[in-house]
Amino acid sequence: MDRVDILIKNGLIVTIDKDMQIIEDGAVAIKNGNIVDVGLTKEIDLKYNSDKTINASSKIVMPGLINAHTHSGMTYFRGLADDLPLDRWLNKYIWPTEAKFLSEEFIYNAVLHSAAEMVKNGIVLFNDMYFFGKQCGEAASRVGIRAIIGEVVLDSPVANCTNPEQIIDYSVNQHKEFEKDELIEYSIAPHSIYACCKETLQLSAETARNNNMLLHIHVSETKKEIEDCIKNNSKPPIEYLHDIGFLSEDVLSAHGIWVNENEMKLLREKNVSIAITTESDLKLASGFAPMKEYLENGVNVCLGTDGVASNNNLDILEEMDFTSKLQKAYNQDPTFLPAIDIVRMCTINSAKAFKKDSEIGSIEIGKKADIILINKSQLDTIPMYNVYSHLVYTISSYYVKDVIINGKIVMENRKLVNVDEAEIIDRANYYKKKIINGL
Ligand SMILES: [Zn+2]
């Protein structure tokens, strides 16, 4: 008998391996952060024992979900201003509030909140872009969640940085500082083609490639962005990014709503991944992502929630449901984007986008143990004929019961292990009062 750290037994294992194998009455053995065995409970039972056994008899056991684009430091701006056009929303509310309140302490607390919220929603990794990356990393690490943190690069001075070179240096230093951390890494995150000049974008790409870091950027979000880019550069954003040498497989582009056919081909050719943010795009009326064209062109698609200021939650299961239904209606085709494809987008496709598909994104021997358990035996979740259908159309995040990240239990029966939820709620109310008084 081999002794392991955690033994999950009697569950419905949704592996997301290359054969999309599902194991009924299955078990997973976890040791030193890794999945050391997966199989039928009756077989695993003969080989392993553990002090920590989780009975998953009424649960779906699946790889943790990945949020491919968010701004985790914006928690306290949730619902601050809604139902406004993008420019007024930014100019009148978001940017002035940011200018007044952002600080190391504010971001640490805001990220502690959003990271805790994401764990409760079954998310094990988030790809972030915001300010005060150091505090963001420390907060995510305290919660016990994986994060790829991008300090937003802008040409204009903001928050803790005065110029783009300084922000890029800061990102590289952070990346080095967290090199041995198994959960946290840093990307280089130029905000967009309209907030960064050609030289800033090129310096970002060059520095990322020299330091083996990922790139994270907003691309083709609004019609105005396309029109301005054509006016200034005689070509749309993705063609522009291609021509200046920015595009490569290390790039994660968020939004990607207004993309022409040639740009689709460039994304495929350069293996750029796209994070679609349906709920935020709908709320800001930015448009409908051309999902069908992405998939026809073989572009790797992931899903992201965007920040809570525009979503207004960090619920990736809800995002999966919305995206599937919206795309069916938009394409007038109920057979388009079946549930199984959506589930892949938020697990293995996202892992691939972040060059982590050999480590996470599926339940397979040798991979890191990033696993969530979801209750499937509630009144409103039975009967169940197809688990992918359930994950996309039936189950809400409240049914996520346990979350294991890097082999450690981070949430057990909906109780967060590393942070005090009541304290986080108190702090949110404290900041709300401060923001109201300061506006
Ligand atoms: Zn965004």
Side-chain angles (χ1 to χ4, degrees):
M1 278 274 198
D2 265 355
R3 204 157 185 80
V4 291
D5 300 331
I6 304 171
L7 207 48
I8 303 169
K9 300 205 293 194
N10 314 312
L12 177 69
I13 319 277
V14 179
T15 63
I16 319 287
D17 66 4
K18 67 175 188 336
D19 303 320
M20 295 300 278
Q21 217 188 137
I22 290 173
I23 307 168
E24 282 187 49
D25 200 357
V28 184
I30 298 166
K31 192 174 184 178
N32 296 331
N34 297 320
I35 297 167
V36 292
D37 214 341
V38 189
L40 294 170
T41 302
K42 60 179 185 204
E43 287 166 8
I44 298 286
D45 245 353
L46 296 174
K47 295 199 263 181
Y48 305 95
N49 60 19
S50 177
D51 288 339
K52 183 69 192 173
T53 299
I54 301 174
N55 178 12
S57 61
S58 57
K59 311 266 171 58
I60 297 165
V61 179
M62 69 174 294
L65 301 166
I66 298 173
N67 184 359
H69 175 71
T70 190
H71 308 281
S72 65
M74 298 185 88
T75 320
Y76 300 141
F77 304 146
R78 182 187 345 247
L80 174 67
D82 301 304
D83 311 322
L84 293 168
L86 183 66
D87 56 344
R88 252 188 80 202
W89 177 72
L90 285 173
N91 285 303
K92 190 159 188 300
Y93 293 94
I94 300 299
W95 288 340
T97 319
E98 283 180 342
K100 200 157 193 169
F101 290 101
L102 292 195
S103 68
E104 292 180 357
E105 193 197 349
F106 182 98
I107 293 296
Y108 179 83
N109 286 316
V111 176
L112 205 64
H113 186 134
S114 53
E117 186 178 336
M118 282 192 261
V119 166
K120 294 207 97 171
N121 293 340
I123 294 166
V124 296
L125 164 66
F126 66 96
N127 183 41
D128 203 64
M129 184 197 285
Y130 209 53
F131 304 104
F132 295 98
K134 181 178 190 297
Q135 284 67 32
C136 183
E138 288 168 354
S141 174
R142 169 137 176 244
V143 172
I145 192 171
R146 289 183 200 279
I148 302 164
I149 297 161
E151 183 78 15
V152 60
V153 180
L154 297 159
D155 283 336
S156 49
V158 274
N160 50 336
C161 290
T162 53
N163 61 58
E165 292 79 14
Q166 195 190 346
I167 307 173
I168 291 167
D169 276 354
Y170 173 90
S171 308
V172 173
N173 289 338
Q174 281 302 122
H175 189 65
K176 285 182 181 156
E177 204 168 298
F178 277 74
E179 207 143 35
K180 291 206 167 63
D181 194 297
E182 287 193 67
L183 297 180
I184 311 297
E185 71 175 71
Y186 286 79
S187 66
I188 295 191
H191 181 275
S192 56
I193 55 133
Y194 55 88
C196 300
C197 68
K198 185 177 131 196
E199 289 70 29
T200 300
L201 292 167
Q202 286 175 326
L203 180 66
S204 299
E206 195 190 309
T207 312
R209 279 157 205 159
N210 288 340
N211 291 281
N212 201 19
M213 294 167 77
L214 295 163
L215 285 155
H216 184 188
I217 186 168
H218 294 113
V219 179
S220 304
E221 182 178 5
T222 62
K223 250 184 175 164
K224 186 177 182 310
E225 177 185 338
I226 312 302
E227 288 160 7
D228 291 349
C229 188
I230 291 173
K231 214 187 290 164
N232 298 332
N233 306 298
S234 319
K235 58 193 92 161
I238 293 167
E239 287 183 20
Y240 168 71
L241 285 170
H242 175 260
D243 289 354
I244 65 167
F246 188 89
L247 299 186
S248 175
E249 58 172 15
D250 47 14
V251 176
L252 187 286
S253 303
H255 306 300
I257 298 170
W258 303 95
V259 181
N260 71 29
E261 228 181 288
N262 180 46
E263 291 182 302
M264 287 280 172
K265 293 201 165 55
L266 293 175
L267 292 172
R268 174 67 192 93
E269 224 176 87
K270 294 288 175 183
N271 284 318
V272 174
S273 296
I274 288 280
I276 288 175
T277 55
T278 304
E279 282 189 86
S280 172
D281 301 344
L282 289 175
K283 187 154 169 281
L284 294 168
S286 305
F288 306 101
M291 181 72 89
K292 201 165 208 164
E293 290 75 9
Y294 281 131
L295 298 184
E296 279 168 4
N297 281 282
V299 176
N300 185 42
V301 174
C302 326
L303 303 186
T305 58
D306 217 351
V308 293
S310 64
N311 183 305
N312 300 3
N313 60 41
L314 300 169
D315 190 339
I316 201 79
L317 279 164
E318 187 181 285
E319 198 72 32
M320 288 157 71
D321 189 12
F322 252 89
T323 303
S324 173
K325 288 173 185 162
L326 172 101
Q327 288 292 338
K328 287 177 201 305
Y330 180 63
N331 289 288
Q332 297 179 49
D333 178 4
T335 69
F336 179 58
L337 212 55
I340 189 169
D341 291 356
I342 287 272
V343 174
R344 287 180 62 87
M345 283 177 188
C346 294
T347 50
I348 196 69
N349 286 17
S350 293
K352 194 174 156 213
F354 303 121
K355 316 289 160 250
K356 293 182 185 300
D357 47 325
S358 62
E359 290 169 43
I360 58 171
S362 61
I363 297 182
E364 291 179 87
I365 294 172
K367 283 201 172 183
K368 299 279 178 200
D370 284 15
I371 296 173
I372 60 175
L373 279 74
I374 303 173
N375 201 341
K376 64 176 172 66
S377 304
Q378 303 282 131
L379 189 65
D380 53 356
T381 59
I382 51 169
M384 185 176 84
Y385 298 101
N386 178 312
V387 68
Y388 301 112
S389 153
H390 253 51
L391 288 169
V392 177
Y393 307 124
T394 306
I395 277 161
S396 86
S397 289
Y398 292 100
Y399 297 145
V400 177
K401 291 290 174 193
D402 309 287
V403 175
I404 297 167
I405 301 175
N406 209 28
K408 299 227 162 51
I409 298 174
V410 175
M411 181 170 81
E412 191 163 21
N413 203 20
R414 288 206 66 71
K415 189 179 184 315
L416 295 163
V417 172
N418 302 323
V419 284
D420 182 339
E421 197 173 331
E423 242 173 56
I424 292 174
I425 290 169
D426 282 351
R427 220 165 293 136
N429 287 323
Y430 161 79
Y431 277 107
K432 178 196 157 188
K433 273 189 207 132
K434 268 186 92 157
I435 289 170
I436 286 178
N437 293 333
L439 272 180

